[in-house]
Amino acid sequence: MINGIIFDFDGLIFDTETHQYHILQEMFGQYDSELPLALWQNEVGTDGGFSPFHYMEQQIGKPVEHELLNKQYKEKFLSVLSQEKPRDGVVEYLQMAQELDLKVGLASSSSYRWVSGHLKNLELFDHFHCIRTSDHVEKVKPDPALYLQAAKCLDLSPEACLVFEDSAHGATAAKRAGMSCVVVPNKITSTMEFGNVEHRLDSMADVPLKDLLDFVSALKVNQQ
């Protein structure tokens, strides 16, 4: 029986990741360089310490002004995000979760300030009973700690939780935590290998939450 759902944030609720990559690609192009998608995908959903502008230096063979580039990047990124809305189907899932009396959590490898600020701007913050971020754990995804802490905060067992993810690192974390996982990739993560997850959607708008819960619950029964 699924009694709670736990969402990732970046790329899943709010597609920061597609904009982030496109802005970096544009900046790399100005230096006759390129940021390979496969390389960037390694960083999606985790915090591996990768520095795109250090990588740019390696590609072009000369130093760049990190402070200036970081400033330009942040200005462009935040400007684009100020116009962005939640991904299709997210609001409907959150509303249906409330109607179904499900506990709703969030587990993100980003900081609490980043996640809570955007959730408030999107007017989604009050939908979540518990939020766990990089501020709450020693290791972020693919380590399962974020999901285990979110379940504990919701007072649920891992088996009673269904996770929604968009990245391979996030899906790995959910499965390591012993939870069911449905992936909803974005344009940047769509070519990732997600392993043994319960289901994949192109968009939450494609399947009502109640139907998806029924499907995953039946799958869990058949696997026992």
Side-chain angles (χ1 to χ4, degrees):
M1 186 73 179
I2 295 171
N3 297 313
I5 55 177
I6 306 176
F7 291 83
D8 174 49
F9 179 68
D10 288 287
L12 187 280
I13 288 177
F14 192 45
D15 193 6
T16 57
E17 292 165 356
T18 298
H19 295 302
Q20 192 173 23
Y21 180 68
H22 287 163
I23 290 169
L24 286 170
Q25 270 289 56
E26 180 182 312
M27 296 179 73
F28 269 67
Q30 293 169 357
Y31 286 79
D32 295 321
S33 184
E34 182 182 359
L35 178 60
L37 177 58
L39 179 63
W40 185 246
Q41 284 177 334
N42 291 332
E43 300 302 309
V44 174
T46 188
D47 183 7
F50 175 74
S51 169
F53 299 126
H54 279 104
Y55 178 78
M56 179 189 287
E57 287 180 328
Q58 295 172 18
Q59 298 307 107
I60 65 176
K62 59 182 180 182
V64 298
E65 295 184 55
H66 288 254
E67 187 174 343
L68 175 62
L69 290 178
N70 275 310
K71 182 174 182 292
Q72 292 174 346
Y73 160 70
K74 289 178 181 178
E75 287 175 351
K76 291 178 181 179
F77 190 32
L78 292 176
S79 175
V80 171
L81 291 187
S82 68
Q83 308 300 318
E84 185 70 12
K85 296 180 179 180
R87 286 184 66 189
D88 290 345
V90 169
V91 173
E92 289 78 8
Y93 268 39
L94 290 171
Q95 291 171 341
M96 180 56 68
Q98 186 173 358
E99 292 176 20
L100 296 173
D101 201 26
L102 294 172
K103 295 181 178 180
V104 181
L106 186 149
S108 171
S109 294
S110 296
S111 69
Y112 183 83
R113 181 179 179 182
W114 173 263
V115 172
S116 62
H118 285 299
L119 285 176
K120 289 172 183 176
N121 289 339
L122 296 167
E123 299 183 349
L124 298 179
F125 184 82
D126 292 339
H127 284 280
F128 295 90
H129 302 113
C130 176
I131 295 173
R132 287 294 178 265
T133 67
S134 60
D135 298 303
H136 300 98
V137 294
E138 291 184 9
K139 293 182 180 180
V140 295
K141 305 169 191 177
D143 190 277
L146 278 165
Y147 281 116
L148 291 172
Q149 281 208 20
K152 184 176 181 180
C153 176
L154 294 173
D155 196 26
L156 293 174
S157 68
E159 295 78 15
C161 298
L162 173 62
V163 167
F164 290 94
E165 267 289 352
D166 72 289
S167 75
H169 288 309
T172 298
K175 298 306 294 182
R176 286 177 176 173
M179 300 179 183
S180 298
C181 181
V182 171
V183 294
V184 193
N186 55 58
K187 292 178 182 178
I188 298 303
T189 62
S190 62
T191 59
M192 286 182 167
E193 293 292 333
F194 289 97
N196 188 30
V197 297
E198 274 64 31
H199 197 53
R200 175 174 176 150
L201 295 173
D202 291 327
S203 168
M204 293 184 200
D206 291 346
V207 179
L209 176 60
K210 189 176 186 308
D211 292 350
L212 186 63
L213 291 172
D214 290 343
F215 171 81
V216 174
S217 295
L219 199 62
K220 288 165 70 74
V221 169
N222 291 335
Q223 289 173 345
Q224 291 177 353

